[in-house]
Amino acid sequence: MEVINRYITIKHHVDGAPQDSDFELKSSPLSLSLEPGSDEVIVKNLYVSIDPYQLNRMKSYSSSQESSAYAVAITPGEDIDAYGVGKVVASGNPKFDKGDIVSGLLKWGEFTVVKPGGMLNKLDPMGFPLSYHAGILAFSGLTAYAGLFEICKPKKGEKVFVSAALGSVGNLVGQFAKVFGCYVVGCAGSKEKVALLKEKLGFDDAFNYREETDLKSTLRRYFPDGIDIYFDNVGGDMQEAAVSNMNINGRIAVCGVISEYTDREKRAAPSMIDVVYKRIKIQGFLAGDYLNLFGDFLSTTCDHLRTGKIQPLEDISEGVESIPSALINLFRGQNIGKKIIKIAEQ
Amino acid sequence: MEVINRYITIKHHVDGAPQDSDFELKSSPLSLSLEPGSDEVIVKNLYVSIDPYQLNRMKSYSSSQESSAYAVAITPGEDIDAYGVGKVVASGNPKFDKGDIVSGLLKWGEFTVVKPGGMLNKLDPMGFPLSYHAGILAFSGLTAYAGLFEICKPKKGEKVFVSAALGSVGNLVGQFAKVFGCYVVGCAGSKEKVALLKEKLGFDDAFNYREETDLKSTLRRYFPDGIDIYFDNVGGDMQEAAVSNMNINGRIAVCGVISEYTDREKRAAPSMIDVVYKRIKIQGFLAGDYLNLFGDFLSTTCDHLRTGKIQPLEDISEGVESIPSALINLFRGQNIGKKIIKIAEQ
């Protein structure tokens, strides 16, 4: 059987904020039956993840492209890897059978042909919606968990600040920290988001950074006793303001720098005098280095989801054609929680 | 017996680069016999240490003043604490006898009256010149040792970059790293210093940063395989250039930021994209937090000094009146090695 596989590509490298005209929806015929002897697996994509780091892969050059196996440069015109959940429609690999639900590195498209050695695992949904396994129970969740618990090693009662607190990672960092017993303040870019943080996600406090003119004073107001942990998703001014409000032995986990992705000039220049005298640690990290924690992360998070201690926060669009605008809108702060594309019904 | 005690004060807060006119040599009579029942110790100062952090204490405001017991603000007109070595001339404290050689927190002056609870210890010179115990065998040495081994945890063969490599701390970091089995490159501010680094201290390579226009390319030239460890004494442009040349899992220990002490605008704005994707750690630290390592540090360093594996590098001026120019010249890069003032003969 042959289908038309539609998938997203970039027309050219994307060096600024992404726009519709940077993308193209391509289609090509795909046979759903494998050649005899093939060891490939053909997956019908169900949910794919939309993440800011993809923009770094689209640039003509970014140091990030050399530094992680997941962040290699994207060639214009070619299909684009992305984490997701799918269903096996044909398998030449004895580990997978037709009908298996799987997760792994799929494509921003309707189907993925996974070659031997590709990242693909059978998925036990454990009673949760499949979309959870593309976000909260996958790399977004692991990023939050590893960054908070491994990099920042919180103590109960410590003061935690989270930027981009309604983003896929930030909302979970805040929720994990609350359940753990920290005092948590988040910032986001609208009144509605601030309300969500406080009312739905249980943050102790939250503010709209767009309404603030002096972030240093703002943070002093929200943290009169200083910040112990800053989970940094944005870099730039906010990092500078956080450093100046950190306590002694403060820890900053940096898992993303949205402010730098679209504008290389907007770099943080935190006071190194503060960093020295307050013995601050600024640590960049990638969740892929913490796969050893995946088991702990998964059982903890599933428990919290079942008991309602953690709220899932998903922002789902439908159809492969909605991928470009989903990515574009990430950089406009228009997502609320984990951005996922539902490609097809199971 | 009464003497005239001469000591250095600041006339007013010092917010830029320090100048002669900021300082005053004061004198006041001091009785060298203690009142009956006094528990003070009077110390004749022999060697006192000159360190860049003192400038932060002189500012009208620096966050550093709140962050460490050793870095509290200096009040204009009052005497100034500094680490040093001296000899007890009178003691009301049963732990000390007249004639004891001691080290601890003394004053930038000829005598120190140490109150109970003051930082003071009997010193066993272990056959080394007393001046060593104000520098290489004291906090400068511990800073190098703790920063390199505890913060950066080197592996043999790793590539280490040291800025201000002829400074009190930098020269030891480089020497410790060489003895440990790392590849070490240092930078300094003159041809003569570069020669010293390579010829006397055994650095694998060194360069004069004043001759370089593009530090990023310079570091790429000296580290074609990237930097694993950067020991940062200066902040600013050099930190940015180092971050862009770091390898994955690179570590930056920041023990000082001379570039920021005299000019608040010269801050480093390293690429946070590099920090994230290369999982770089930037860690500020103060040696005072690592007193638990002092025993190890001391025995290791003494061994290396005795076997000649490490060269002591001291820059000694004489007389209390030379203190202001010694501090001023630190910020002009005019010291070679540990800056110490010899106040008096034993």
Side-chain angles (χ1 to χ4, degrees), chain A residues 53 56 59 62-64 67 71 239 248 254-257 260-261 267-286 289, chain B residues 53 56 59 62-64 67 71 239 248 254-257 260-261 267-286 289:
Chain A
Y53 82 96
N56 294 322
K59 292 177 182 168
S62 167
S63 62
S64 61
S67 303
Q239 189 190 91
I248 288 174
V254 194
C255 80
V257 265
E260 279 185 35
Y261 291 178
R267 282 189 182 168
S271 160
M272 281 290 141
I273 293 190
D274 280 339
V275 169
V276 172
Y277 282 94
K278 299 200 275 190
R279 300 83 142 174
I280 292 171
K281 175 172 82 166
I282 302 175
Q283 172 83 63
F285 75 103
L286 297 177
D289 293 342
Chain B
Y53 82 96
N56 294 323
K59 292 178 182 167
S62 167
S63 62
S64 62
S67 303
Q239 189 190 92
I248 287 174
V254 193
C255 80
V257 264
E260 279 184 37
Y261 291 179
R267 282 189 183 169
S271 159
M272 281 291 141
I273 293 189
D274 280 339
V275 169
V276 172
Y277 282 95
K278 299 200 273 188
R279 300 82 142 176
I280 293 171
K281 175 172 82 166
I282 301 175
Q283 171 84 62
F285 75 103
L286 298 177
D289 293 340

Side-chain angles (χ1 to χ4, degrees), chain B residues 236-255:
Chain B
D237 295 351
M238 195 64 87
Q239 189 190 92
E240 293 176 20
V243 163
S244 87
N245 281 281
M246 294 299 281
N247 288 329
I248 287 174
N249 296 322
R251 291 137 274 161
I252 300 181
V254 193
C255 80

Side-chain angles (χ1 to χ4, degrees), chain A residues 307-320:
Chain A
T307 57
K309 284 187 185 167
I310 280 188
Q311 303 298 319
L313 201 64
E314 297 183 301
D315 185 335
I316 301 182
S317 302
E318 297 210 7
V320 67

Side-chain angles (χ1 to χ4, degrees), chain A residues 28-318:
Chain A
S28 59
L30 177 73
S31 166
L32 297 188
S33 34
L34 291 162
E35 302 276 318
S38 164
D39 45 10
E40 295 176 342
V41 181
I42 301 179
V43 176
K44 180 184 170 196
N45 303 336
L46 303 175
Y47 292 95
V48 295
S49 176
I50 305 292
D51 300 284
Y53 82 96
Q54 298 279 15
L55 187 62
N56 294 322
R57 301 181 61 202
M58 296 173 185
K59 292 177 182 168
S60 41
Y61 173 77
S62 167
S63 62
S64 61
Q65 295 167 0
E66 302 156 1
S67 303
S68 163
Y70 305 124
V72 291
I74 294 169
T75 306
E78 294 197 357
D79 52 12
I80 296 170
D81 297 330
Y83 196 84
V85 173
K87 187 176 188 173
V88 174
V89 291
S91 174
N93 181 330
K95 283 167 59 189
F96 299 97
D97 293 309
K98 188 172 169 177
D100 281 351
I101 298 295
V102 290
S103 63
L105 211 54
L106 306 180
K107 298 285 181 186
W108 272 355
E110 293 176 312
F111 292 88
T112 307
V113 179
V114 182
K115 304 222 179 298
M119 180 193 187
L120 195 70
N121 294 292
K122 276 199 210 183
L123 178 67
D124 172 5
M126 298 178 295
F128 293 107
L130 289 184
S131 58
Y132 285 22
H133 296 278
I136 183 170
L137 296 177
F139 278 93
S140 302
L142 182 61
T143 304
Y145 188 86
L148 180 65
F149 293 112
E150 280 293 295
I151 308 278
C152 298
K153 298 196 192 308
K155 299 182 196 75
K156 283 186 208 308
E158 281 195 318
K159 311 286 187 288
V160 176
F161 174 50
V162 186
S163 57
L166 270 182
S168 59
V169 174
N171 88 82
L172 285 171
V173 170
Q175 293 193 76
F176 281 135
K178 272 306 296 174
V179 173
F180 183 77
C182 294
Y183 179 86
V184 181
V185 177
C187 73
S190 75
K191 222 170 261 186
E192 294 68 31
K193 287 182 174 180
V194 167
L196 255 177
L197 286 171
K198 294 201 277 190
E199 287 153 28
K200 181 168 177 186
L201 300 188
F203 280 50
D204 292 290
D205 216 331
F207 65 90
N208 176 359
Y209 69 87
R210 294 185 206 263
E211 285 175 357
E212 304 293 332
T213 49
D214 175 0
L215 294 172
K216 213 165 141 178
S217 315
T218 304
L219 288 179
R220 196 171 310 127
R221 215 163 64 232
Y222 283 93
F223 291 97
D225 302 321
I227 300 170
D228 298 301
I229 290 174
Y230 172 41
F231 202 96
D232 187 0
N233 289 297
V234 303
D237 296 352
M238 195 64 88
Q239 189 190 91
E240 293 177 21
V243 163
S244 86
N245 281 282
M246 294 299 282
N247 287 329
I248 288 174
N249 297 321
R251 291 136 273 161
I252 300 181
V254 194
C255 80
V257 265
I258 284 221
S259 70
E260 279 185 35
Y261 291 178
T262 54
D263 179 354
R264 288 179 194 203
E265 301 310 308
K266 258 184 126 177
R267 282 189 182 168
S271 160
M272 281 290 141
I273 293 190
D274 280 339
V275 169
V276 172
Y277 282 94
K278 299 200 275 190
R279 300 83 142 174
I280 292 171
K281 175 172 82 166
I282 302 175
Q283 172 83 63
F285 75 103
L286 297 177
D289 293 342
Y290 297 90
L291 293 176
N292 61 314
L293 300 180
F294 196 81
D296 284 348
F297 150 69
L298 200 61
S299 67
T300 304
T301 311
C302 289
D303 284 352
H304 290 336
L305 283 168
R306 287 193 189 103
T307 57
K309 284 187 185 167
I310 280 188
Q311 303 298 319
L313 201 64
E314 297 183 301
D315 185 335
I316 301 182
S317 302
E318 297 210 7

